Amino acid sequence: MPVFKRSQQDSLTGLPTRDVFVSKANKILLRGSSNEYAAVYMRLVNLGMYIVRHGRKAGEEVVVLIATQLRENPAIEAVGRLSSGSFAALAPVNRVEEALGAINHLLPTFGETDGLMLKGGYCAMRNDLTLDEAMARAHYAYEDVRIGSPAYSRLFDQGLETVYNRRAYVVEHLNDAIARGEIRAYAQPIIRVLTGQICEVEILARWKSDEFGFFCPDEFIPELERHRLIHQLDGEVVRLACKQWKEASDLGINVPFGINLSRLDFELCDIFAVVIEHMRAYDVPVDQVHIEVTESALAQSNSLLLTGIDRFRRAGFELYLDDFGSGYSTLQVLEGKSFDVVKLDMSLLREVESNERARVIVADAVSMVKRLNLQTLCEGVETEDQFLFLKAVGCEKAQGYYFSRPVSHEEIMEHLEDTIDLHETPEDKRYYDSLGKINLIDGTRSSVHGVEAAHFLGTQPFAIVEVRGQSVTFLSSNAAFNRFVESSLARSIEELVHRLSDDLSSLRNKVLFSASKARVTGEAQRFDFVMEGNFLSMGISYVEGSEGREAYLMEILSVTKYSQFNDFKLLEESLRFLYTIFKRIDLLDVTDRTWRNIYLNVPRYNALRAGATPQDEIVAFCETFIHPDDRRRFLEFYDLTTVERRIAKQGSVHLADVFFALSDNDRYEDQLFMLIPVSMGGHKQFLSCMRDLDISGLTRQYSGSSERISDEVLLSGILAVTERLVFWKDDKGRFLGANERFLDYYGFLSVECILGKTDEDLGWTRNAHFPVDEKKVLAGKQVLDVEGYTCRREELRDIRVSKMPLWNEGKVIGLVGFLVDVGPHVSKKDSKETGDE
Ligand code: C2E
Ligand code: CA
Ligand code: CA
């Protein structure tokens, strides 16, 4: 009679089923014995994983093995199988641990972290407990040991009892609590990072019971979810939130709020209808409510949740993805679902102050979220440093104890009434949301005006400035910008702001002029200026405007500050930047009467014959490219004998003027020419730079501050702008880095191939004068265009090398070299080479 048998006994293991076990155990308990018994709940942890790896049959074998062991274990007096991997038993309290330990030692993958383990919870039998009640408590104790504990068993003791009773209370008394008003809707402010103002609040449930005092959400939310009652709580919280919003609104305070919805809300009721109903009852507009759904809910996404979210979305609610980065994260969570805000889990922020990696992760997360055209809100901000960090990486919103804990409706109302003039209006929200789209990390912005993510001004220091009438203020800036301001412009952003507020400051006028031009034309504007001895270029681009204020993205770059060259990345970026500024740079040596092109972007300007003097070149250039009307003025401008006098008269560091010159498209256009005196090794030299003119009005009256540019710095900076192969070394002649071009040239796969190596290490000993040159450079001199030759991929090539010292705080810390390939190697008797070939 197999059917009968199966209902008594489990067919796989032969163990009794639950009912049979219960009646058997009860009989033992009734007999009474000197033993103090415990009800035991056990479960095979990681059975699913084991079956995936080893197959169903292997899994069944383990289950059978355990069943046999349980049956034969002398400590266990009754046992039953509850489901595939779980068992119930009756055993003396003091022998449970021993029994579980013994069985675990027999399991096949014993010892591995994700290996099979039989874990159990047990509860001592008492007169006031039925076996079922004891089993429920044993199961509860099992839950405790299952999560993260290396032990196999856990006794349901006094500590668990307290928690258990509180949880049981929660489940049994939810309806009473709602009826008695024990559920509260607390509010925690959310701060707009750009302004520091409250922009919204998050509603968080609180439960204050007469019997047990305060319950925290971590106690009751999971329990209500487990018992599928969570929708009742959430319905009440939404009702309270709407009611509170209405009370505030009647006082003229309109602060949007967010509510937390559980995944189960979407299964257990029509949560959309519930929310809408309460909003209607209290006249809450849809733009005042946002919905938070956790990442974990989404990760186990079911269609009810997805369609539910979609209904909210289509009704115009903003959607927040909660707890992003708390563990389940994959970017796929965001794919195809339209969220507005991603809430970064507070675990991400925890390590930010002490851990560089954590900073990178948060910065990347913010940047990545922006690229998806969403905003970021960081939770759990507890310190000023954390807040400043979020500001620097461009996180839009922040929430945490640093600003405020969740507080009662009464408390938040008090605060909101006190700050009523400071609340964000819907227009503020539109404006700041738009600014929030700017990615301060790389200066890109996602569709501000529906435009696809556009590359903005390069990867450099960025700030967002606000212009109101004639005043210019900084809304935010990235870390690179702050560093830059402090090292090159002013002691701090505050000082820069102060300068920008000076009516007479020419910088302020340039900013305002370019800003308005950027707004009108919709194109980024760039202008040059000199400050604190640095030659600088500023880019300004319009972002958004609202009610008499306009926001701009500002980028500042330094042409001259290349003493920080030991950072390879910085050099690369600087090169890229200089390419964009100038079309052509020449070094004119008056003492030597030589002329040298350093950088050329427009092939047609390359008109020169070898051996020409600066004067020859100027005249030739003038006749070929300058419009006849401007030729006289051009020659006067380039009169090298009077440059210094003219500069001194102007009180500036260089001369600049605009001439009508043939541009690349064969038309005469305004071009800016600059002459910057530099003095090197006693030679009188001028850097001649030319570029397209974009802000003619400004540049015609071009004048810098009276500061002197440090010549070495300037020259090394300009020389860096080159098609040349660039490398760098420390003061022991070891390579610190090189540009891609250099690596390509020699066929190195990566910079690692040369890092830390000297020329000898690399077998480059052909040019005996190179080490001598390097010594000179390290003593603070420059060597320019020294001839030599090199073996490149088994081919001898002639090269010219320039080397300049890298200065840091007055000391030479290394050198930077620029190398030009002149062609195949030609043996020359008089050449300097003393190679070993
Ligand atoms: P959550 O949505 O991630 O809420 C943020 C939690 O972090 C809140 O805990 C808040 O009090 C806490 N918190 C805020 N700032 C800081 C901080 O600076 N440091 C630290 N350490 N903690 C901070 P709370 O109120 O205990 O809520 C816990 C979770 O319970 C919430 O996490 C949310 O998932 C859930 N919850 C709360 N209210 C409701 C509700 O009405 N419905 C549903 N379904 N879930 C809710
Ligand atoms: Ca939340
Ligand atoms: Ca959260």
Side-chain angles (χ1 to χ4, degrees):
M1 282 202 239
V3 176
F4 175 65
K5 262 196 151 174
R6 201 172 296 147
S7 65
Q8 298 263 311
Q9 263 184 10
D10 167 53
S11 62
L12 175 68
T13 63
L15 285 184
T17 57
R18 182 190 170 95
D19 290 347
V20 178
F21 160 74
V22 168
S23 69
K24 219 170 169 183
N26 272 327
K27 270 187 209 140
I28 297 171
L29 288 169
L30 275 176
R31 251 191 266 137
S33 135
S34 55
N35 281 334
E36 199 197 343
Y37 282 110
V40 190
Y41 172 90
M42 287 163 288
R43 191 177 177 92
L44 198 49
V45 176
N46 291 330
L47 178 60
M49 184 63 84
Y50 186 80
I51 289 174
V52 169
R53 290 214 185 128
H54 303 282
R56 174 152 301 277
K57 191 140 187 307
E60 286 180 356
E61 280 165 18
V62 176
V63 173
V64 171
L65 170 79
I66 285 182
T68 314
Q69 290 301 316
L70 285 171
R71 201 170 19 224
E72 290 173 2
N73 193 295
I76 293 174
E77 303 206 4
V79 62
R81 186 179 180 210
L82 301 176
S83 70
S84 61
S86 63
F87 306 88
L90 189 72
V93 175
N94 54 10
R95 299 190 64 185
V96 175
E97 253 167 68
E98 154 206 324
L100 275 167
I103 296 172
N104 271 298
H105 273 89
L106 297 170
L107 291 183
T109 52
F110 168 76
E112 282 175 28
T113 45
D114 62 347
L116 284 168
M117 268 178 290
L118 186 67
K119 289 200 167 192
Y122 57 110
C123 171
M125 291 305 304
R126 298 191 313 241
N127 290 337
D128 61 336
L129 289 181
T130 66
L131 184 61
D132 271 337
E133 285 167 341
M135 284 301 297
R137 284 162 175 75
H139 189 278
Y140 191 75
Y142 158 79
E143 287 292 335
D144 196 77
V145 73
R146 178 180 61 94
I147 305 165
S149 160
Y152 299 123
S153 58
R154 172 81 157 97
L155 173 66
F156 185 82
D157 56 13
Q158 193 56 48
L160 284 188
E161 173 105 42
T162 311
V163 186
Y164 185 83
N165 288 340
R166 285 173 70 90
R167 302 220 164 158
Y169 178 91
V170 163
V171 174
E172 283 158 25
H173 294 82
L174 176 65
N175 283 319
D176 294 348
I178 292 175
R180 287 201 296 255
E182 289 182 0
I183 305 296
R184 307 278 172 78
Y186 270 41
Q188 187 176 29
I190 294 174
I191 305 299
R192 171 85 63 185
V193 172
L194 272 182
T195 59
Q197 289 170 2
I198 297 183
C199 54
E200 63 209 43
V201 295
E202 176 180 7
I203 299 295
L204 293 157
R206 294 291 180 266
W207 180 336
K208 190 165 183 293
S209 85
D210 287 343
E211 230 173 307
F212 280 96
F214 245 112
F215 287 110
C216 69
D218 289 343
E219 265 180 302
F220 61 84
I221 304 256
E223 206 59 22
L224 294 177
E225 286 185 333
R226 196 164 17 242
H227 289 85
R228 303 177 74 79
L229 296 168
I230 186 68
H231 58 300
Q232 297 184 14
L233 176 96
D234 283 341
E236 173 65 1
V237 172
V238 172
R239 188 186 70 81
L240 289 169
C242 291
K243 181 164 173 275
Q244 291 169 181
W245 183 89
K246 171 85 171 132
E247 276 172 42
S249 176
D250 287 344
L251 296 171
I253 297 171
N254 295 296
V255 178
F257 64 91
I259 51 174
N260 291 281
L261 293 185
S262 161
R263 177 177 62 91
L264 293 173
D265 288 336
F266 294 85
E267 294 172 22
L268 297 170
C269 68
D270 184 351
I271 191 67
F272 177 77
V274 171
V275 172
I276 293 292
E277 183 192 318
H278 292 310
M279 285 171 62
R280 286 224 179 96
Y282 293 103
D283 292 331
V284 185
V286 72
D287 66 0
Q288 295 293 297
V289 187
H290 75 254
I291 309 289
E292 299 195 1
V293 179
T294 63
E295 175 197 86
S296 60
L298 221 60
Q300 337 162 355
S301 73
N302 61 39
S303 60
L304 275 177
L305 177 70
L306 294 181
T307 49
I309 289 178
D310 202 47
R311 276 175 86 191
F312 279 108
R313 149 105 288 144
R314 276 181 290 132
F317 288 82
E318 285 205 331
L319 291 172
Y320 287 30
L321 178 65
D322 205 351
D323 298 348
F324 184 75
S326 61
Y328 299 81
S329 288
T330 56
L331 291 177
Q332 272 121 305
V333 161
L334 289 166
E335 217 166 75
K337 305 177 188 82
S338 21
F339 282 90
D340 301 279
V341 175
V342 174
K343 292 187 82 167
L344 302 185
D345 192 65
M346 55 186 93
S347 58
L348 288 178
L349 198 58
R350 283 296 156 262
E351 291 179 69
V352 149
E353 271 155 281
S354 59
N355 182 335
E356 171 67 26
R357 266 177 56 104
R359 280 193 287 277
V360 172
I361 291 171
V362 174
D364 273 0
V366 171
S367 165
M368 172 213 77
V369 171
K370 273 186 211 271
R371 273 202 294 281
L372 295 172
N373 205 11
L374 313 176
Q375 294 188 10
T376 38
L377 189 167
C378 196
E379 301 182 273
V381 180
E382 292 184 354
T383 66
E384 185 181 10
D385 282 351
Q386 288 171 349
F387 176 57
L388 292 176
F389 170 74
L390 293 174
K391 200 168 179 163
V393 299
C395 175
E396 287 98 335
K397 293 175 180 174
Q399 175 182 8
Y401 295 168
Y402 175 61
F403 312 104
S404 165
R405 290 178 177 260
V407 293
S408 68
H409 178 55
E410 294 70 31
E411 279 176 88
I412 196 128
M413 282 306 292
E414 209 172 292
H415 178 77
L416 293 175
E417 280 177 46
D418 288 349
T419 55
I420 193 157
D421 298 337
L422 298 173
H423 300 169
E424 208 174 278
T425 64
E427 181 54 24
D428 290 339
K429 179 174 157 58
R430 191 191 63 77
Y431 177 66
Y432 291 121
D433 279 353
S434 177
L435 300 195
K437 301 244 159 91
I438 292 180
N439 190 344
L440 278 178
I441 303 284
D442 63 5
T444 55
R445 57 176 165 174
S446 39
S447 57
V448 177
H449 300 293
V451 188
E452 269 300 287
H455 204 71
F456 213 50
L457 293 162
T459 53
Q460 281 288 345
F462 291 104
I464 301 174
V465 294
E466 188 172 81
V467 174
R468 290 180 191 246
Q470 297 290 299
S471 97
V472 183
T473 50
F474 284 84
L475 290 181
S476 68
S477 50
N478 66 6
F481 188 90
N482 299 345
R483 270 200 305 275
F484 182 83
V485 166
E486 279 154 30
S487 68
S488 313
L489 282 188
R491 266 183 290 284
S492 63
I493 295 270
E494 287 74 34
E495 198 186 314
L496 184 64
V497 170
H498 182 71
R499 289 194 197 181
L500 286 175
S501 64
D502 178 357
D503 280 350
L504 297 173
S505 137
S506 64
L507 177 60
R508 190 179 76 147
N509 293 335
K510 286 177 186 174
V511 168
L512 290 174
F513 182 91
S514 309
S516 74
K517 189 158 180 205
R519 183 166 48 82
V520 174
T521 61
E523 278 169 18
Q525 301 295 310
R526 192 187 282 286
F527 65 85
D528 310 325
F529 64 105
V530 175
M531 193 181 251
E532 300 273 322
N534 294 300
F535 181 71
L536 303 155
S537 176
M538 186 179 277
I540 287 187
S541 178
Y542 177 69
V543 180
E544 188 63 73
S546 155
E547 298 176 333
R549 59 196 159 176
E550 293 138 21
Y552 296 87
L553 185 58
M554 174 188 277
E555 175 201 35
I556 301 191
L557 292 163
S558 169
V559 182
T560 50
K561 266 280 163 172
Y562 289 117
S563 45
Q564 306 121 323
F565 255 0
N566 40 357
D567 181 344
F568 182 68
K569 214 167 154 237
L570 201 76
L571 171 69
E572 287 251 295
E573 284 169 4
S574 310
L575 290 176
R576 217 179 305 148
F577 154 64
L578 280 169
Y579 282 134
T580 69
I581 287 197
F582 295 114
K583 284 175 148 178
R584 172 172 179 164
I585 302 169
D586 299 279
L587 186 65
L588 312 176
D589 190 318
V590 182
T591 311
D592 258 8
R593 289 167 49 82
T594 58
W595 161 95
R596 195 150 49 91
N597 179 253
I598 290 165
Y599 168 67
L600 185 66
N601 194 13
V602 185
R604 66 171 301 160
Y605 287 143
N606 196 4
L608 211 83
R609 304 132 296 172
T613 66
Q615 203 53 40
D616 295 342
E617 169 64 5
I618 289 163
V619 172
F621 186 93
C622 182
E623 279 165 11
T624 323
F625 297 111
I626 302 295
H627 189 276
D629 291 354
D630 268 359
R631 285 188 189 153
R632 201 173 53 82
R633 223 162 40 84
F634 183 83
L635 291 177
E636 277 167 19
F637 179 81
Y638 268 98
D639 181 351
L640 299 180
T641 58
T642 59
V643 175
E644 278 166 310
R645 219 181 311 136
R646 282 180 286 147
I647 287 179
K649 211 167 129 204
Q650 276 193 7
S652 64
V653 291
H654 56 265
L655 288 178
D657 209 337
V658 178
F659 301 96
F660 223 35
L662 264 188
S663 71
D664 353 342
N665 50 19
D666 256 342
R667 283 211 316 265
Y668 283 105
E669 277 171 12
D670 272 348
Q671 306 276 336
L672 172 73
F673 290 80
M674 286 176 58
L675 276 174
I676 309 168
V678 293
S679 75
M680 307 282 310
H683 283 211
K684 190 183 284 178
Q685 296 172 316
F686 296 95
L687 274 174
S688 158
C689 311
M690 74 171 291
R691 54 177 282 193
D692 285 337
L693 184 71
D694 33 22
I695 312 162
S696 48
L698 276 179
T699 16
R700 274 190 196 280
Q701 309 144 25
Y702 200 91
S703 82
S705 85
S706 53
E707 304 259 2
R708 280 214 39 85
I709 296 179
S710 146
D711 301 328
E712 272 88 1
V713 168
L714 179 60
L715 188 63
S716 64
I718 302 295
L719 281 173
V721 189
T722 171
E723 297 288 321
R724 296 174 185 199
L725 317 169
V726 183
F727 60 88
W728 41 93
K729 294 178 170 179
D730 65 12
D731 57 358
K732 307 269 180 321
R734 293 179 295 227
F735 277 93
L736 293 174
N739 63 358
E740 288 294 333
R741 218 176 260 280
F742 183 94
L743 298 174
D744 277 350
Y745 178 81
Y746 279 110
F748 291 118
L749 288 180
S750 81
V751 75
E752 263 74 48
C753 304
I754 56 166
L755 282 190
K757 298 194 175 136
T758 61
D759 282 5
E760 272 108 89
D761 294 339
L762 293 166
W764 290 348
T765 51
R766 297 173 211 283
N767 302 279
H769 58 290
F770 281 179
V772 181
D773 289 343
E774 292 197 3
K775 268 211 188 88
K776 272 195 231 161
V777 175
L778 290 173
K781 302 222 169 54
Q782 309 208 1
V783 293
L784 300 179
D785 274 353
V786 176
E787 290 175 5
Y789 68 106
T790 187
C791 179
R792 176 213 183 191
R793 308 184 193 190
E794 342 240 282
E795 186 199 347
L796 288 182
R797 310 278 303 176
D798 276 332
I799 52 172
R800 281 206 312 269
V801 188
S802 298
K803 288 175 187 155
M804 269 146 283
L806 289 171
W807 292 91
N808 189 28
E809 295 180 352
K811 266 177 44 199
V812 178
I813 54 164
L815 61 88
V816 59
F818 304 94
L819 190 149
V820 190
D821 182 312
V822 184
H825 180 51
V826 190
S827 259
K828 286 178 252 169
K829 278 211 192 68
D830 58 349
S831 116
K832 286 185 188 166
E833 66 188 67
T834 49
D836 51 12
E837 258 32 21

